[in-house]
mmCIF file of all heavy atoms in Angstrom:
data_model
loop_
_atom_site.group_PDB
_atom_site.id
_atom_site.type_symbol
_atom_site.label_atom_id
_atom_site.label_comp_id
_atom_site.label_asym_id
_atom_site.label_seq_id
_atom_site.Cartn_x
_atom_site.Cartn_y
_atom_site.Cartn_z
ATOM 1 N N ILE A 1 43.186 77.190 6.351
ATOM 2 C CA ILE A 1 42.638 78.169 7.294
ATOM 3 C C ILE A 1 41.116 78.062 7.332
ATOM 4 O O ILE A 1 40.497 78.141 8.401
ATOM 5 C CB ILE A 1 43.064 79.602 6.922
ATOM 6 C CG1 ILE A 1 44.582 79.768 7.012
ATOM 7 C CG2 ILE A 1 42.339 80.638 7.780
ATOM 8 C CD1 ILE A 1 45.154 79.752 8.398
ATOM 9 N N GLN A 2 40.500 77.851 6.170
ATOM 10 C CA GLN A 2 39.038 77.714 6.126
ATOM 11 C C GLN A 2 38.592 76.465 6.886
ATOM 12 O O GLN A 2 37.627 76.508 7.652
ATOM 13 C CB GLN A 2 38.539 77.666 4.682
ATOM 14 C CG GLN A 2 37.033 77.688 4.565
ATOM 15 C CD GLN A 2 36.414 78.968 5.115
ATOM 16 O OE1 GLN A 2 36.758 80.053 4.693
ATOM 17 N NE2 GLN A 2 35.506 78.837 6.073
ATOM 18 N N GLU A 3 39.305 75.346 6.689
ATOM 19 C CA GLU A 3 38.973 74.115 7.425
ATOM 20 C C GLU A 3 39.111 74.333 8.930
ATOM 21 O O GLU A 3 38.273 73.874 9.710
ATOM 22 C CB GLU A 3 39.885 72.966 6.986
ATOM 23 C CG GLU A 3 39.558 72.408 5.623
ATOM 24 C CD GLU A 3 40.593 71.391 5.144
ATOM 25 O OE1 GLU A 3 41.298 70.794 5.995
ATOM 26 O OE2 GLU A 3 40.701 71.212 3.923
ATOM 27 N N TYR A 4 40.170 75.016 9.330
ATOM 28 C CA TYR A 4 40.403 75.312 10.743
ATOM 29 C C TYR A 4 39.269 76.174 11.298
ATOM 30 O O TYR A 4 38.710 75.878 12.353
ATOM 31 C CB TYR A 4 41.758 76.012 10.889
ATOM 32 C CG TYR A 4 42.177 76.321 12.297
ATOM 33 C CD1 TYR A 4 42.542 75.312 13.175
ATOM 34 C CD2 TYR A 4 42.240 77.630 12.745
ATOM 35 C CE1 TYR A 4 42.947 75.592 14.470
ATOM 36 C CE2 TYR A 4 42.645 77.930 14.036
ATOM 37 C CZ TYR A 4 43.002 76.905 14.892
ATOM 38 O OH TYR A 4 43.393 77.190 16.168
ATOM 39 N N SER A 5 38.910 77.206 10.562
ATOM 40 C CA SER A 5 37.816 78.098 10.983
ATOM 41 C C SER A 5 36.489 77.356 11.043
ATOM 42 O O SER A 5 35.714 77.523 11.991
ATOM 43 C CB SER A 5 37.701 79.281 10.018
ATOM 44 O OG SER A 5 38.905 80.002 9.979
ATOM 45 N N ASP A 6 36.220 76.535 10.029
ATOM 46 C CA ASP A 6 34.984 75.740 10.010
ATOM 47 C C ASP A 6 34.931 74.792 11.205
ATOM 48 O O ASP A 6 33.875 74.611 11.814
ATOM 49 C CB ASP A 6 34.860 74.944 8.705
ATOM 50 C CG ASP A 6 34.598 75.822 7.498
ATOM 51 O OD1 ASP A 6 34.247 77.012 7.674
ATOM 52 O OD2 ASP A 6 34.767 75.316 6.364
ATOM 53 N N TYR A 7 36.064 74.187 11.530
ATOM 54 C CA TYR A 7 36.124 73.296 12.678
ATOM 55 C C TYR A 7 35.756 74.056 13.957
ATOM 56 O O TYR A 7 34.977 73.571 14.787
ATOM 57 C CB TYR A 7 37.525 72.689 12.805
ATOM 58 C CG TYR A 7 37.648 71.716 13.949
ATOM 59 C CD1 TYR A 7 37.348 70.368 13.766
ATOM 60 C CD2 TYR A 7 38.043 72.143 15.216
ATOM 61 C CE1 TYR A 7 37.451 69.475 14.824
ATOM 62 C CE2 TYR A 7 38.139 71.257 16.272
ATOM 63 C CZ TYR A 7 37.838 69.926 16.071
ATOM 64 O OH TYR A 7 37.927 69.039 17.113
ATOM 65 N N LEU A 8 36.314 75.257 14.118
ATOM 66 C CA LEU A 8 36.014 76.049 15.309
ATOM 67 C C LEU A 8 34.543 76.430 15.365
ATOM 68 O O LEU A 8 33.921 76.373 16.433
ATOM 69 C CB LEU A 8 36.886 77.298 15.358
ATOM 70 C CG LEU A 8 38.381 77.069 15.515
ATOM 71 C CD1 LEU A 8 39.122 78.400 15.551
ATOM 72 C CD2 LEU A 8 38.698 76.232 16.742
ATOM 73 N N LYS A 9 33.977 76.800 14.224
ATOM 74 C CA LYS A 9 32.548 77.142 14.184
ATOM 75 C C LYS A 9 31.697 75.938 14.552
ATOM 76 O O LYS A 9 30.715 76.056 15.277
ATOM 77 C CB LYS A 9 32.153 77.610 12.779
ATOM 78 C CG LYS A 9 32.539 79.006 12.452
ATOM 79 C CD LYS A 9 32.011 79.335 11.064
ATOM 80 C CE LYS A 9 32.804 80.434 10.424
ATOM 81 N NZ LYS A 9 32.439 80.661 9.040
ATOM 82 N N GLU A 10 32.065 74.788 14.026
ATOM 83 C CA GLU A 10 31.291 73.568 14.239
ATOM 84 C C GLU A 10 31.393 73.059 15.679
ATOM 85 O O GLU A 10 30.441 72.502 16.211
ATOM 86 C CB GLU A 10 31.787 72.490 13.268
ATOM 87 C CG GLU A 10 31.002 71.211 13.296
ATOM 88 C CD GLU A 10 31.533 70.190 12.299
ATOM 89 O OE1 GLU A 10 31.894 70.584 11.172
ATOM 90 O OE2 GLU A 10 31.604 68.998 12.660
ATOM 91 N N HIS A 11 32.546 73.242 16.303
ATOM 92 C CA HIS A 11 32.784 72.653 17.617
ATOM 93 C C HIS A 11 32.721 73.643 18.779
ATOM 94 O O HIS A 11 32.985 73.263 19.923
ATOM 95 C CB HIS A 11 34.130 71.925 17.627
ATOM 96 C CG HIS A 11 34.119 70.698 16.788
ATOM 97 N ND1 HIS A 11 34.371 70.716 15.430
ATOM 98 C CD2 HIS A 11 33.850 69.411 17.086
ATOM 99 C CE1 HIS A 11 34.273 69.503 14.940
ATOM 100 N NE2 HIS A 11 33.947 68.691 15.925
ATOM 101 N N THR A 12 32.404 74.887 18.467
ATOM 102 C CA THR A 12 32.245 75.866 19.546
ATOM 103 C C THR A 12 30.985 76.680 19.297
ATOM 104 O O THR A 12 30.458 76.715 18.194
ATOM 105 C CB THR A 12 33.447 76.838 19.638
ATOM 106 O OG1 THR A 12 33.511 77.645 18.465
ATOM 107 C CG2 THR A 12 34.750 76.097 19.827
ATOM 108 N N ASP A 13 30.543 77.314 20.340
ATOM 109 C CA ASP A 13 29.381 78.185 20.261
ATOM 110 C C ASP A 13 29.735 79.450 21.040
ATOM 111 O O ASP A 13 30.466 79.371 22.029
ATOM 112 C CB ASP A 13 28.176 77.479 20.898
ATOM 113 C CG ASP A 13 26.920 78.275 20.719
ATOM 114 O OD1 ASP A 13 26.653 79.136 21.575
ATOM 115 O OD2 ASP A 13 26.209 78.060 19.720
ATOM 116 N N VAL A 14 29.241 80.580 20.598
ATOM 117 C CA VAL A 14 29.579 81.829 21.283
ATOM 118 C C VAL A 14 29.275 81.767 22.772
ATOM 119 O O VAL A 14 29.994 82.336 23.582
ATOM 120 C CB VAL A 14 28.897 83.063 20.641
ATOM 121 C CG1 VAL A 14 29.467 83.362 19.299
ATOM 122 C CG2 VAL A 14 27.407 82.942 20.609
ATOM 123 N N GLU A 15 28.238 81.055 23.134
ATOM 124 C CA GLU A 15 27.832 80.994 24.538
ATOM 125 C C GLU A 15 28.796 80.175 25.392
ATOM 126 O O GLU A 15 28.761 80.252 26.617
ATOM 127 C CB GLU A 15 26.413 80.438 24.644
ATOM 128 C CG GLU A 15 25.387 81.373 24.030
ATOM 129 C CD GLU A 15 24.006 80.758 23.948
ATOM 130 O OE1 GLU A 15 23.803 79.627 24.423
ATOM 131 O OE2 GLU A 15 23.127 81.430 23.384
ATOM 132 N N GLN A 16 29.656 79.378 24.758
ATOM 133 C CA GLN A 16 30.612 78.575 25.520
ATOM 134 C C GLN A 16 31.792 79.397 26.023
ATOM 135 O O GLN A 16 32.558 78.930 26.849
ATOM 136 C CB GLN A 16 31.114 77.403 24.670
ATOM 137 C CG GLN A 16 30.026 76.391 24.395
ATOM 138 C CD GLN A 16 30.448 75.374 23.361
ATOM 139 O OE1 GLN A 16 30.944 75.718 22.286
ATOM 140 N NE2 GLN A 16 30.259 74.110 23.690
ATOM 141 N N GLY A 17 31.940 80.587 25.510
ATOM 142 C CA GLY A 17 32.968 81.502 26.003
ATOM 143 C C GLY A 17 34.322 81.348 25.343
ATOM 144 O O GLY A 17 34.587 80.406 24.594
ATOM 145 N N VAL A 18 35.156 82.303 25.656
ATOM 146 C CA VAL A 18 36.479 82.399 25.049
ATOM 147 C C VAL A 18 37.409 81.290 25.542
ATOM 148 O O VAL A 18 38.190 80.744 24.776
ATOM 149 C CB VAL A 18 37.100 83.791 25.310
ATOM 150 C CG1 VAL A 18 38.517 83.871 24.796
ATOM 151 C CG2 VAL A 18 36.252 84.875 24.664
ATOM 152 N N TYR A 19 37.328 80.950 26.820
ATOM 153 C CA TYR A 19 38.211 79.913 27.360
ATOM 154 C C TYR A 19 38.049 78.609 26.574
ATOM 155 O O TYR A 19 39.024 78.005 26.155
ATOM 156 C CB TYR A 19 37.928 79.688 28.847
ATOM 157 C CG TYR A 19 38.973 78.846 29.538
ATOM 158 C CD1 TYR A 19 40.030 79.451 30.202
ATOM 159 C CD2 TYR A 19 38.907 77.451 29.518
ATOM 160 C CE1 TYR A 19 41.005 78.687 30.845
ATOM 161 C CE2 TYR A 19 39.873 76.681 30.145
ATOM 162 C CZ TYR A 19 40.923 77.303 30.802
ATOM 163 O OH TYR A 19 41.892 76.546 31.427
ATOM 164 N N TYR A 20 36.809 78.215 26.373
ATOM 165 C CA TYR A 20 36.541 76.988 25.617
ATOM 166 C C TYR A 20 37.042 77.117 24.176
ATOM 167 O O TYR A 20 37.635 76.192 23.631
ATOM 168 C CB TYR A 20 35.039 76.664 25.644
ATOM 169 C CG TYR A 20 34.701 75.361 24.958
ATOM 170 C CD1 TYR A 20 35.020 74.149 25.546
ATOM 171 C CD2 TYR A 20 34.077 75.356 23.716
ATOM 172 C CE1 TYR A 20 34.726 72.948 24.915
ATOM 173 C CE2 TYR A 20 33.777 74.166 23.084
ATOM 174 C CZ TYR A 20 34.102 72.962 23.681
ATOM 175 O OH TYR A 20 33.817 71.784 23.053
ATOM 176 N N LEU A 21 36.813 78.267 23.562
ATOM 177 C CA LEU A 21 37.296 78.507 22.204
ATOM 178 C C LEU A 21 38.812 78.346 22.138
ATOM 179 O O LEU A 21 39.337 77.723 21.215
ATOM 180 C CB LEU A 21 36.896 79.899 21.716
ATOM 181 C CG LEU A 21 37.488 80.334 20.371
ATOM 182 C CD1 LEU A 21 36.967 79.461 19.235
ATOM 183 C CD2 LEU A 21 37.210 81.795 20.101
ATOM 184 N N LEU A 22 39.516 78.887 23.119
ATOM 185 C CA LEU A 22 40.976 78.766 23.139
ATOM 186 C C LEU A 22 41.404 77.306 23.280
ATOM 187 O O LEU A 22 42.345 76.864 22.614
ATOM 188 C CB LEU A 22 41.565 79.618 24.260
ATOM 189 C CG LEU A 22 41.424 81.129 24.081
ATOM 190 C CD1 LEU A 22 41.860 81.852 25.346
ATOM 191 C CD2 LEU A 22 42.173 81.619 22.867
ATOM 192 N N GLU A 23 40.731 76.564 24.160
ATOM 193 C CA GLU A 23 41.053 75.140 24.310
ATOM 194 C C GLU A 23 40.899 74.399 22.982
ATOM 195 O O GLU A 23 41.781 73.650 22.578
ATOM 196 C CB GLU A 23 40.130 74.483 25.346
ATOM 197 C CG GLU A 23 40.485 74.756 26.767
ATOM 198 C CD GLU A 23 39.570 73.996 27.718
ATOM 199 O OE1 GLU A 23 38.335 73.965 27.487
ATOM 200 O OE2 GLU A 23 40.096 73.431 28.684
ATOM 201 N N ILE A 24 39.769 74.615 22.328
ATOM 202 C CA ILE A 24 39.496 73.943 21.054
ATOM 203 C C ILE A 24 40.486 74.396 19.989
ATOM 204 O O ILE A 24 41.007 73.588 19.218
ATOM 205 C CB ILE A 24 38.034 74.199 20.602
ATOM 206 C CG1 ILE A 24 37.041 73.585 21.589
ATOM 207 C CG2 ILE A 24 37.791 73.683 19.196
ATOM 208 C CD1 ILE A 24 37.115 72.083 21.708
ATOM 209 N N SER A 25 40.778 75.701 19.945
ATOM 210 C CA SER A 25 41.700 76.249 18.950
ATOM 211 C C SER A 25 43.081 75.631 19.075
ATOM 212 O O SER A 25 43.685 75.215 18.079
ATOM 213 C CB SER A 25 41.837 77.766 19.101
ATOM 214 O OG SER A 25 40.614 78.407 18.929
ATOM 215 N N ILE A 26 43.567 75.573 20.286
ATOM 216 C CA ILE A 26 44.912 75.045 20.518
ATOM 217 C C ILE A 26 44.950 73.542 20.300
ATOM 218 O O ILE A 26 45.876 73.021 19.675
ATOM 219 C CB ILE A 26 45.415 75.465 21.911
ATOM 220 C CG1 ILE A 26 45.583 76.997 21.933
ATOM 221 C CG2 ILE A 26 46.725 74.769 22.258
ATOM 222 C CD1 ILE A 26 45.741 77.587 23.308
ATOM 223 N N ASP A 27 43.936 72.826 20.783
ATOM 224 C CA ASP A 27 43.882 71.380 20.530
ATOM 225 C C ASP A 27 43.860 71.085 19.038
ATOM 226 O O ASP A 27 44.537 70.164 18.568
ATOM 227 C CB ASP A 27 42.643 70.752 21.189
ATOM 228 C CG ASP A 27 42.801 70.570 22.683
ATOM 229 O OD1 ASP A 27 43.942 70.602 23.183
ATOM 230 O OD2 ASP A 27 41.769 70.379 23.360
ATOM 231 N N ARG A 28 43.095 71.863 18.293
ATOM 232 C CA ARG A 28 42.976 71.628 16.852
ATOM 233 C C ARG A 28 44.295 71.899 16.134
ATOM 234 O O ARG A 28 44.701 71.138 15.262
ATOM 235 C CB ARG A 28 41.850 72.484 16.253
ATOM 236 C CG ARG A 28 41.610 72.219 14.796
ATOM 237 C CD ARG A 28 41.105 70.809 14.589
ATOM 238 N NE ARG A 28 40.964 70.532 13.183
ATOM 239 C CZ ARG A 28 40.954 69.319 12.669
ATOM 240 N NH1 ARG A 28 41.048 68.265 13.446
ATOM 241 N NH2 ARG A 28 40.819 69.140 11.385
ATOM 242 N N ILE A 29 44.984 72.975 16.512
ATOM 243 C CA ILE A 29 46.246 73.284 15.840
ATOM 244 C C ILE A 29 47.281 72.205 16.152
ATOM 245 O O ILE A 29 48.100 71.850 15.300
ATOM 246 C CB ILE A 29 46.759 74.706 16.174
ATOM 247 C CG1 ILE A 29 47.795 75.168 15.140
ATOM 248 C CG2 ILE A 29 47.378 74.793 17.526
ATOM 249 C CD1 ILE A 29 47.250 75.452 13.803
ATOM 250 N N ILE A 30 47.225 71.659 17.349
ATOM 251 C CA ILE A 30 48.163 70.586 17.699
ATOM 252 C C ILE A 30 47.835 69.323 16.912
ATOM 253 O O ILE A 30 48.730 68.648 16.401
ATOM 254 C CB ILE A 30 48.177 70.350 19.227
ATOM 255 C CG1 ILE A 30 48.868 71.552 19.893
ATOM 256 C CG2 ILE A 30 48.861 69.040 19.577
ATOM 257 C CD1 ILE A 30 48.729 71.597 21.390
ATOM 258 N N THR A 31 46.552 69.014 16.779
ATOM 259 C CA THR A 31 46.150 67.861 15.970
ATOM 260 C C THR A 31 46.595 68.040 14.521
ATOM 261 O O THR A 31 47.139 67.117 13.916
ATOM 262 C CB THR A 31 44.621 67.662 16.037
ATOM 263 O OG1 THR A 31 44.252 67.427 17.394
ATOM 264 C CG2 THR A 31 44.169 66.496 15.171
ATOM 265 N N MET A 32 46.365 69.228 13.975
ATOM 266 C CA MET A 32 46.800 69.498 12.599
ATOM 267 C C MET A 32 48.314 69.361 12.485
ATOM 268 O O MET A 32 48.825 68.836 11.496
ATOM 269 C CB MET A 32 46.366 70.904 12.165
ATOM 270 C CG MET A 32 44.875 71.048 11.972
ATOM 271 S SD MET A 32 44.358 72.766 11.714
ATOM 272 C CE MET A 32 45.012 73.089 10.078
ATOM 273 N N SER A 33 49.026 69.822 13.498
ATOM 274 C CA SER A 33 50.482 69.755 13.495
ATOM 275 C C SER A 33 50.980 68.316 13.529
ATOM 276 O O SER A 33 51.979 67.985 12.902
ATOM 277 C CB SER A 33 51.050 70.529 14.687
ATOM 278 O OG SER A 33 50.684 71.881 14.616
ATOM 279 N N LYS A 34 50.286 67.479 14.273
ATOM 280 C CA LYS A 34 50.659 66.062 14.320
ATOM 281 C C LYS A 34 50.355 65.371 12.997
ATOM 282 O O LYS A 34 51.139 64.568 12.503
ATOM 283 C CB LYS A 34 49.904 65.348 15.449
ATOM 284 C CG LYS A 34 50.425 65.624 16.819
ATOM 285 C CD LYS A 34 49.595 64.865 17.856
ATOM 286 C CE LYS A 34 50.115 65.084 19.245
ATOM 287 N NZ LYS A 34 49.309 64.372 20.248
ATOM 288 N N ASP A 35 49.182 65.668 12.418
ATOM 289 C CA ASP A 35 48.745 65.004 11.194
ATOM 290 C C ASP A 35 49.541 65.436 9.967
ATOM 291 O O ASP A 35 49.786 64.632 9.077
ATOM 292 C CB ASP A 35 47.254 65.270 10.937
ATOM 293 C CG ASP A 35 46.363 64.628 11.976
ATOM 294 O OD1 ASP A 35 46.843 63.772 12.746
ATOM 295 O OD2 ASP A 35 45.170 65.004 12.029
ATOM 296 N N SER A 36 49.902 66.693 9.921
ATOM 297 C CA SER A 36 50.561 67.238 8.734
ATOM 298 C C SER A 36 51.535 68.336 9.149
ATOM 299 O O SER A 36 51.302 69.517 8.892
ATOM 300 C CB SER A 36 49.478 67.781 7.791
ATOM 301 O OG SER A 36 50.011 68.133 6.564
ATOM 302 N N PRO A 37 52.646 67.951 9.788
ATOM 303 C CA PRO A 37 53.517 68.961 10.393
ATOM 304 C C PRO A 37 54.129 69.971 9.423
ATOM 305 O O PRO A 37 54.103 71.170 9.696
ATOM 306 C CB PRO A 37 54.606 68.138 11.086
ATOM 307 C CG PRO A 37 54.493 66.767 10.563
ATOM 308 C CD PRO A 37 53.109 66.599 10.033
ATOM 309 N N LYS A 38 54.645 69.517 8.319
ATOM 310 C CA LYS A 38 55.294 70.459 7.401
ATOM 311 C C LYS A 38 54.297 71.431 6.796
ATOM 312 O O LYS A 38 54.561 72.626 6.707
ATOM 313 C CB LYS A 38 56.053 69.719 6.311
ATOM 314 C CG LYS A 38 57.300 69.038 6.829
ATOM 315 C CD LYS A 38 58.053 68.327 5.735
ATOM 316 C CE LYS A 38 59.244 67.595 6.317
ATOM 317 N NZ LYS A 38 59.885 66.731 5.358
#
């Protein structure tokens, strides 16, 4: 969870808005799911 949160902090900025945050959040969870599904 910390790595996921750090990734979001590193790759998003408050000024980019919620839509962008959601895109990054969902893309990241899918990447994590592919890399380490269980």
Side-chain angles (χ1 to χ4, degrees):
I1 297 290
Q2 187 63 56
E3 286 173 23
Y4 183 70
S5 301
D6 290 346
Y7 182 88
L8 295 180
K9 282 183 204 173
E10 185 179 320
H11 291 86
T12 65
D13 186 272
V14 291
E15 294 172 4
Q16 292 170 310
V18 175
Y19 192 94
Y20 184 73
L21 173 65
L22 293 172
E23 282 184 316
I24 296 297
S25 300
I26 294 166
D27 283 342
R28 184 65 184 158
I29 198 70
I30 289 169
T31 299
M32 290 171 70
S33 299
K34 284 180 178 179
D35 293 346
S36 189
K38 289 181 183 171

